[in-house]
């Protein structure tokens, strides 16, 4: 279980850093398994997650692979990120996730599933207020953690919301998901029910 815990923290950091370009030396392009992304529906058997969203949203999609040899001898990890941005309203929604396949023999005989996680990390921005941290919530019947941060910029206040979800299976597959959305504070309650519908539609299942 210590290995799983380490993987959880490591991959949450990795997801956050990799797509911001901070660990480019650890990233290499790779052709990863297909994601079924049709209007209004995202479904990835490889990452074990699906969700519904408004039909008129257009997502940008990224997949990357990571060399893990410098951290520990576990080969390659895979990550994806799907992002929708409304430049007019300032609303943004992102779903990201990573997969790492462990040796299933590390689990105890009575292991059922690991769900606990939640990692925000260090945010050195001076203009933020942490409104909510490590708050337990439920997504698709399982445990998740929610973080809410208010960003105070001159003339604009933005609310950022994060959800962390972890799943580990007897097969050795370990999944970390992060959901993120942000909106100007005056539009927060306009988008909150839209995001809640997406959260309610999320289905998490054992990856192929």
């Amino acid at each position: 279980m210590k290995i799983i815990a380490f993987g959880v923290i490591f991959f949450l950091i990795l997801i956050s850093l990799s797509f911001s370009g901070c660990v480019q030396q650890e990233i290499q392009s790779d052709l990863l398994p297909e994601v079924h992304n049709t209007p209004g529906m995202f479904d990835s058997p490889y990452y074990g997650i699906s969700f519904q969203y408004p039909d008129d949203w257009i997502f940008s999609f990224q997949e990357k692979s990571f060399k893990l040899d410098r951290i520990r001898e576990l080969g390659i990890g895979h990550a994806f990120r799907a992002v929708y941005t409304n430049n007019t309203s300032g609303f943004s929604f992102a779903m990201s996730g990573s997969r790492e396949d462990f040796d299933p023999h590390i689990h105890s005989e009575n292991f059922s599933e690991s769900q606990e996680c939640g990692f925000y990390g260090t945010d050195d921005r001076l203009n933020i207020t942490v409104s909510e941290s490590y708050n337990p919530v439920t997504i698709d019947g399982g445990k998740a953690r929610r973080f809410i941060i208010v960003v105070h910029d001159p003339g604009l206040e933005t609310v950022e919301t994060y959800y962390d979800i972890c799943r580990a299976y007897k097969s050795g597959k370990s999944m970390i998901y992060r959901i993120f959305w942000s909106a100007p504070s005056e539009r927060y309650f306009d988008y909150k029910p839209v995001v809640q519908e997406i959260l309610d539609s999320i289905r998490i299942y054992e990856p192929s």
Side-chain angles (χ1 to χ4, degrees):
M1 294 306 294
K2 289 183 179 179
I3 296 177
I4 294 295
F6 180 88
V8 166
I9 295 172
F10 170 69
F11 263 91
L12 286 173
I13 297 172
L14 192 57
I15 291 173
S16 299
L17 294 180
S18 65
F19 291 105
S20 66
C22 297
V23 290
Q24 288 296 322
Q25 69 275 12
E26 298 294 335
I27 300 173
Q28 61 178 187
S29 299
D30 196 9
L31 295 176
L32 299 181
E34 181 183 359
V35 171
H36 308 295
N37 189 15
T38 58
M41 171 63 78
F42 175 98
D43 185 18
S44 173
Y46 182 78
Y47 292 105
I49 190 169
S50 69
F51 63 93
Q52 299 177 13
Y53 56 88
D55 291 346
D56 59 345
W57 286 17
I58 298 176
F59 277 89
S60 62
F61 182 77
Q62 294 176 292
E63 287 186 304
K64 295 181 179 179
S65 63
F66 302 89
K67 287 185 176 181
L68 301 176
D69 308 70
R70 295 184 184 180
I71 306 298
R72 49 194 172 143
E73 295 180 1
L74 288 176
I76 299 294
H78 301 293
F80 79 90
R81 192 177 190 221
V83 181
Y84 166 77
T85 301
N86 186 319
N87 293 321
T88 301
S89 67
F91 170 78
S92 181
F93 177 90
M95 171 75 73
S96 59
S98 65
R99 169 174 171 164
E100 184 174 356
D101 294 344
F102 290 92
D103 180 348
H105 295 97
I106 68 172
H107 299 309
S108 60
E109 292 184 4
N110 61 351
F111 176 81
S112 57
E113 181 179 359
S114 174
Q115 298 179 330
E116 287 287 355
C117 74
F119 180 83
Y120 179 67
T122 301
D123 195 324
D124 58 2
R125 291 177 291 179
L126 301 177
N127 60 334
I128 67 170
T129 299
V130 178
S131 175
E132 187 177 292
S133 181
Y134 292 92
N135 185 35
V137 296
T138 300
I139 294 179
D140 191 26
K143 297 176 182 178
R145 298 284 182 179
R146 183 174 64 201
F147 309 80
I148 300 178
I149 295 166
V150 181
V151 183
H152 310 280
D153 287 323
L156 178 65
E157 186 175 79
T158 304
V159 181
E160 299 180 348
T161 306
Y162 303 79
Y163 298 85
D164 289 339
I165 309 168
C166 301
R167 297 290 186 271
Y169 301 92
K170 283 187 175 181
S171 61
K173 299 179 179 69
S174 180
M175 311 302 305
I176 314 296
Y177 309 100
R178 167 158 282 185
I179 305 163
F180 165 83
W181 71 281
S182 68
S185 57
E186 67 269 17
R187 300 297 305 273
Y188 176 80
F189 290 102
D190 295 335
Y191 282 106
K192 185 177 180 180
V194 178
V195 173
Q196 189 58 53
E197 287 188 13
I198 297 174
L199 297 178
D200 291 342
S201 75
I202 291 176
R203 297 295 175 263
I204 298 172
Y205 54 92
E206 184 166 2
S208 58

